[in-house]
Every structure is written in C-alpha cells, then in structure tokens.
Amino acid sequence: MIMSIVLIFSYSFAITAPAAVKMAFKKKFPTATKVIWGKEAPKEWETEFTFGGNKISANFGEDGTWLETGKKIKAADLPKAVAAAAKLKYPG
C-alpha cells in the first residue's frame, strides 16, 4: 500500500530534465517516443522510451553527457559464451 502511494505521488508531479539533457537526448535518439524522465542520482537523469520498436533506457549527466543506454534482451539472444558463463555463476 505504501508503494502504491509513493508511485501515485511521484507520478502526480511531472519531472522535467534540464535543457542540455533534453537536447543531448534528442540528438542521440531523434525518433524516440513515449519518453519518461526521472532522476537516477543527484546529477544524473534517466529516461525510459521507445526507439526502433524497443523499450530502452538511457542515462545522461546534468550537462547532457550521455552515460549509458540499456535494453532488456531475451536469454535466448545472448551469445553462447555469455549464456554459459551466466549458467556457471548462477545455476538454475
């Protein structure tokens, strides 16, 4: 119940990234849709969006510096060596 209240409260206030961050994002992902911004850390912004049919997240510093991009991939799409290493380290 507390989590629900926190989520509702957090979505009731729109978070707007600084102009430098928005410009850097638009340059790197010009056709992105369904863009949602949030704070990852005090000086780091994270956005979740759709790009090329994929759900992606990206992080930017306050000055617009791109830090990282991530997306979920299926285990079946991992390279064989990576899948084998993961199975060894995390059996089951």
Side-chain angles (χ1 to χ4, degrees), residues 4 6 9 16 19 34 42 44 47 58 67-68 72-73 75 78 83 85 89 91:
S4 297
V6 170
F9 184 77
T16 303
K34 301 178 184 176
E44 186 175 335
T47 181
L67 302 172
E68 67 181 11
K72 291 182 181 180
I73 60 171
L78 289 171
K89 187 163 183 154

Side-chain angles (χ1 to χ4, degrees), residues 1-13:
M1 188 162 99
I2 292 172
M3 191 64 156
S4 297
I5 292 169
V6 170
L7 286 173
I8 290 168
F9 184 77
S10 67
Y11 282 110
S12 64
F13 296 97

Side-chain angles (χ1 to χ4, degrees), residues 15-24 37 39 45 60-64:
I15 297 177
T16 303
V21 173
K22 286 183 174 180
M23 287 188 335
W37 287 99
K39 289 286 280 186
W45 289 85
F60 292 84
E62 271 190 336
D63 63 353

Side-chain angles (χ1 to χ4, degrees), residues 52-90:
N54 297 303
K55 290 184 180 182
I56 298 177
S57 67
N59 292 39
F60 292 84
E62 271 190 336
D63 63 353
T65 302
W66 170 72
L67 302 172
E68 67 181 11
T69 300
K71 74 174 187 171
K72 291 182 181 180
I73 60 171
K74 297 176 186 174
D77 294 337
L78 289 171
K80 289 180 183 182
V82 173
K87 281 185 180 183
L88 276 175
K89 187 163 183 154
Y90 306 102

